[in-house]
Amino acid sequence: MPSHGHRRRIKLLLFLSVFSLLFSAASAASAVLGIDLGTEYIKAALVKPGIPLEIVLTKDSKRKEAAAIAFKPLKSKAHTSDSDAFPERLYGGDAVALSARFPGDVYSNLKPLLGATVKRNEAAAHFGSWRPDLKIAEDKERGTVGFRSESFTDKEELFTVEELLAMQLQNVRNNAEVFAGKGSTIRDVVMSIPVFYTAEEKRAVEAAVDLAGLRLLSMMSDGLSIGLNYATSRTFPVPKDGIKPEYHLVYDMGAGSTTATVLKFQGKNVKDVGKFNKTVQDVQVMGVGWDRTLGGDAFNVLILEEMISKFVDIPHLKTLGVTATHIKKDGRTLAKLWKEAERMRQVLSANSDTSASFEGLFYEDVNFKYKLSRSEFESLAARYMERVRYPIARAVASAKLELSEIESIILHGGAVRTPFVQKELEAIAGNPDKVRTNVNSDEAACFGAAFNAAGISTSFRVKEIRTSDVAAHAAVISWVSEGKEKQQKLFQPTSQVGAEKQVPFKITQDFSFSLYQQVSEGVESSRDIPVSRIETQNLTASVKELTEKYGCSVADITTSFSIRLSAFDGLPEVTRGSVSCEVVDLKKGDFVGNVKGLFGFGSKKGDQEPIDGEAGASKSEADFSSSALSATKSISESKVPKTTDIKGADKAKDKKETATIYIRYTMNVTGLPQISSAELQRMKDRMASFDASDRSRKLREEALNTLEGYTYKARDLIEDEGFIAASTDKQRSEIEDKFKAASEWLYGDGADANREALKARLKELRDLVDPISRRKEEASKRPGEVKMLQETLEQTKGLIEMVKKESEKAAEAAAAMAASSSSSKVSPQTTSELPSVSEDAFAGLDGDPSTPAPTASSTKAPEVPMYTVEDFADLSQTHESVKIWLDNKLTEQGKLSPSDDPVILSSEIAAKSKELNKVVMNVLSRKMQIPPIVKSSSKSKTSKTKTHKQSKSSASIPSVSSTSSSSVEASSATATATGAIHADMPVEPVAPDVQDGSRPEDDTVVKDEL
């Protein structure tokens, strides 16, 4: 049985192992992502234990991934039924690089198409005008934008924008899991999206995230994400004693759109645990403005149109009648021109002029060179100057502030680097110092989203920063009453997300109402986007119950619904509905109720009060199930008697109470049809087939690279001297022919061979080369192993001679011991009892150091030999067998040529060496285990310290008065047994001394020692 300490160590190891496993699983599960969904680029930041807020790198170690995906076509058209024949998917820069070769299968900058329809949205037409080779089609069920891939047959289902975006998000997730480390799994994500996104666009993002296998924790606007990142490294004071909040404006101009967000930063005192308060940072969106189409792409179009106009002016093209329309219909030409237009715009941000050269452009292979200066570019963009100002003016106006109250303009986005944009912003601010670049203009949004994700997750503890976004679009409610359609605005564009309102209705029968987003389109025009439709289930029955059970009048019954802006996506949603009326003496005649009221049971005291002037803030209430049906009675505060006298309980007869029944209702999503469950599953299955095809392709590429590398390796082997010695001319000739044929096959029919064919070809070559390579390797290793074994045999031979002498001594000692035992005469009393201890044997334990210890007669024990006859037999037999084996094998090997397979392997020689060494170590270890010889001291022990040490020694026993040989044998046997016991015991704390009849804690240890 293991000792106590050993068991404790085992338990500790088990606990640490389980804790390590749990910690690893928790670490893998707790990783979260923040993703900035940009038009041109997608950026992601990871938060994981040990990785605080790090940018997720692409497979090329870049900090941002181009928002593009491409299908690299195969020789034949693919179909979903054949998952092995799926085209290869490329992402980011690899996809963009294919745009000139396969313009009909590269899908980039898809963000403006989220939630867009083919017929009712200008985004689809604008997108297709600059990508003529893309086959845009309409989804039959939803009317949204879809694409037909040239890599698939015409019968293949459309690729929706959500599905293509899901593939890009899946790629981001894979990169994040690689970055997080082996075994990491990431599911949770917060998306940073434009503030102007409508319900249709937000639901498209949500669908894409779900298809990618991620769980959306929340969506937040880009401006708030940037503001949150700005606040993580700063502390703002609480507004009091003349201190005001700080107002900053985030100006974000990306590739596809521009937004301006006014943010308020301040400290805020809130309730903490118990009676304590704490100060947290508060970031609140006050106003927003935007331009949906102003950005880097719009500037690229300016340069692109100028380039086309210059290109068609070439005399050769004029004679052919080529116009700008012809150029815009050629996808390959447009892809080349677009790429250069974007590069030139970026170069002009730091240089005064730039140029681009093209060779073999258009069908006639025309060479074209184009130059552009910064002044010429700014002249082209003159009409956009006013549009740069508009988002700021709208944001400041909606925040009800003056531009002078804005402390700084924080820049974000790639297009803000355009010189004329910065000049306009400095002119708006009135002071160039107000225009600041104190956040990372590319990564601040994804950092803020990742920080928010970590705050939502329960696995992280972050700096407490409270955020509040705005709806950006007004929310209205519409219903029909008395045959007339009525509409009421519930929330303004600047209403804070999470705000809740009670909406009363004078309707007592089951009815329905709808919620809409009111999206402005221009200065005075707007359109309503349906969000949801709510239908009551039990309103009529509930009204009947109130009238019959509580005697309510129909005219006094009120129907109301609680509607709030969801903290998840900012869309209006219904939280609960109820029907109620006021009644008098609702508890009259209820004896139990009167007794409870008399003694004050159920009274509500000590309600917490808001602090710092927050009494006007709305208080959240507990959520109620829409299917729950219950009646509650709440006392109207205006009718409650002010007296607290128990005798005044009779006055409660005139109080009014409210009878309430909660309404069951259904809420259905309206507007743009959602993707059906069957369609979602079909998309997931197709994405899974893509994944399987990608894995299969990766394995095939590995097999191809291995085979190709092996053919190059063979060329070097054939010229190697060792390889030549281990092979025949015929074998080398055959190998050379096989490898030559394999190389030709690789660059011919083998270029499209599947993985199995490549593996088969590689096996055929290895079957020829590997035996020769093994012979070569054995020829180099064998001499060293043989020499090492021969040296070991020689050393063992010397050890055998020594052991032989020691074993002979052991035999002589045993014979002498037997003779001595037979000649001795032992009395019966001596042989039947243990040697008696002298009365004065423990005299040294009384604490008097002067008391002499008893004297025992001296007894000389026989010398114990180090080795035995058995040791000699083990060594000699093993040595002889190994030597004979080696000699025989070497004789056989000497008869073979270097090109023959060896009969003795280096691994076999090493095994024999190990076998011999094991026997030697066993013999040597027995010597170390021999206990010391016990010799009784003839001198008296006068020191208490020496006596104490002697009592602790595991190899000594108390002195005895008898000097017989039996006593010596008993002493030796006891010492030997004790030594064996202690040799096998684990390390334990030393047991306390036995003094004054006290008993140590562990009897077992003392028993073993005595």
Side-chain angles (χ1 to χ4, degrees), residues 724-738:
I724 294 173
S727 61
T728 63
D729 293 339
K730 181 180 178 181
Q731 289 173 335
R732 291 193 298 275
S733 177
E734 184 181 2
I735 291 173
E736 189 173 1
D737 293 340
K738 289 285 186 181

Side-chain angles (χ1 to χ4, degrees), residues 36-38 41-44 55 63-64 226 229 252-254 411-417 439-447:
D36 175 17
L37 185 61
Y41 291 99
I42 296 178
K43 286 141 288 190
I55 286 292
R63 298 179 68 86
K64 57 184 179 180
I226 298 164
N229 177 249
D252 183 14
M253 178 180 282
L411 302 183
H412 189 269
V416 294
R417 301 184 181 96
V439 298
N440 190 315
S441 60
D442 286 326
E443 301 170 355
C446 68
F447 276 138

Side-chain angles (χ1 to χ4, degrees), residues 665-955:
Y665 58 89
T666 59
M667 186 166 59
N668 299 312
V669 175
T670 55
L672 190 67
Q674 299 300 294
I675 304 175
S676 63
S677 300
E679 189 69 5
L680 279 174
Q681 188 59 48
R682 183 193 64 77
M683 293 179 185
K684 290 180 179 180
D685 292 342
R686 183 160 64 179
M687 291 176 64
S689 297
F690 264 110
D691 294 338
S693 178
D694 289 343
R695 285 192 296 270
S696 177
R697 184 177 294 104
K698 183 179 179 181
L699 293 174
R700 180 197 171 277
E701 289 174 354
E702 291 176 356
L704 177 63
N705 294 335
T706 303
L707 177 58
E708 189 175 12
Y710 202 72
T711 58
Y712 287 111
K713 177 183 176 182
R715 298 172 186 174
D716 299 332
L717 282 176
I718 293 176
E719 299 176 358
D720 183 75
E721 294 182 359
F723 191 85
I724 294 173
S727 61
T728 63
D729 293 339
K730 181 180 178 181
Q731 289 173 335
R732 291 193 298 275
S733 177
E734 184 181 2
I735 291 173
E736 189 173 1
D737 293 340
K738 289 285 186 181
F739 274 86
K740 184 177 180 181
S743 297
E744 294 175 355
W745 179 78
L746 272 177
Y747 297 104
D749 297 337
D752 297 325
N754 57 27
R755 181 186 172 212
E756 298 303 323
L758 294 171
K759 289 174 64 178
R761 184 67 67 134
L762 179 63
K763 183 180 182 302
E764 181 183 1
L765 298 178
R766 279 182 169 170
D767 289 343
L768 293 175
V769 174
D770 288 354
I772 301 175
S773 297
R774 283 194 295 269
R775 289 198 294 269
K776 173 191 170 184
E777 184 179 2
E778 285 296 326
S780 63
K781 287 185 178 180
R782 188 168 52 249
E785 293 290 342
V786 170
K787 182 180 179 181
M788 187 179 300
L789 181 55
Q790 289 175 340
E791 291 176 353
T792 304
L793 286 170
E794 190 65 27
Q795 293 171 0
T796 306
K797 185 177 180 181
L799 179 63
I800 290 173
E801 294 296 329
M802 183 184 67
V803 172
K804 181 179 179 181
K805 293 178 181 179
E806 291 293 330
S807 63
E808 290 175 353
K809 290 182 181 180
E812 294 174 359
M817 181 68 71
S820 176
S821 299
S822 61
S823 62
S824 299
K825 294 182 180 180
V826 183
S827 64
Q829 182 180 1
T830 304
T831 58
S832 61
E833 297 179 357
L834 290 173
S836 61
V837 182
S838 174
E839 293 181 357
D840 294 335
F842 297 95
L845 299 177
D846 59 359
D848 187 1
S850 63
T851 304
T855 304
S857 59
S858 176
T859 302
K860 183 178 180 181
E863 183 179 355
V864 179
M866 291 187 297
Y867 303 107
T868 63
V869 177
E870 290 79 7
D871 295 336
F872 171 72
D874 290 344
L875 275 176
S876 59
Q877 290 174 6
T878 305
H879 177 271
E880 187 66 21
S881 64
V882 172
K883 187 176 184 305
I884 293 173
W885 175 86
L886 180 62
D887 292 341
N888 293 338
K889 290 292 184 180
L890 289 178
T891 302
E892 295 178 17
Q893 184 64 36
K895 299 177 181 179
L896 301 176
S897 66
S899 60
D900 294 328
D901 290 335
V903 296
I904 180 172
L905 301 177
S906 59
S907 59
E908 296 175 343
I909 301 173
K912 288 296 181 180
S913 296
K914 185 177 180 181
E915 178 185 348
L916 186 58
N917 287 331
K918 182 178 180 182
V919 175
V920 172
M921 292 306 299
N922 287 339
V923 172
L924 295 177
S925 63
R926 292 173 192 166
K927 175 185 177 182
M928 292 185 241
Q929 293 176 0
I930 295 177
I933 303 303
V934 180
K935 294 182 180 180
S936 300
S937 176
S938 60
K939 297 182 179 181
S940 64
K941 306 296 181 180
T942 59
S943 173
K944 179 179 178 182
T945 306
K946 291 183 179 180
T947 305
H948 196 171
K949 290 183 179 179
Q950 185 180 7
S951 67
K952 286 186 179 181
S953 175
S954 62

Side-chain angles (χ1 to χ4, degrees), residues 326 551 986:
H326 294 101

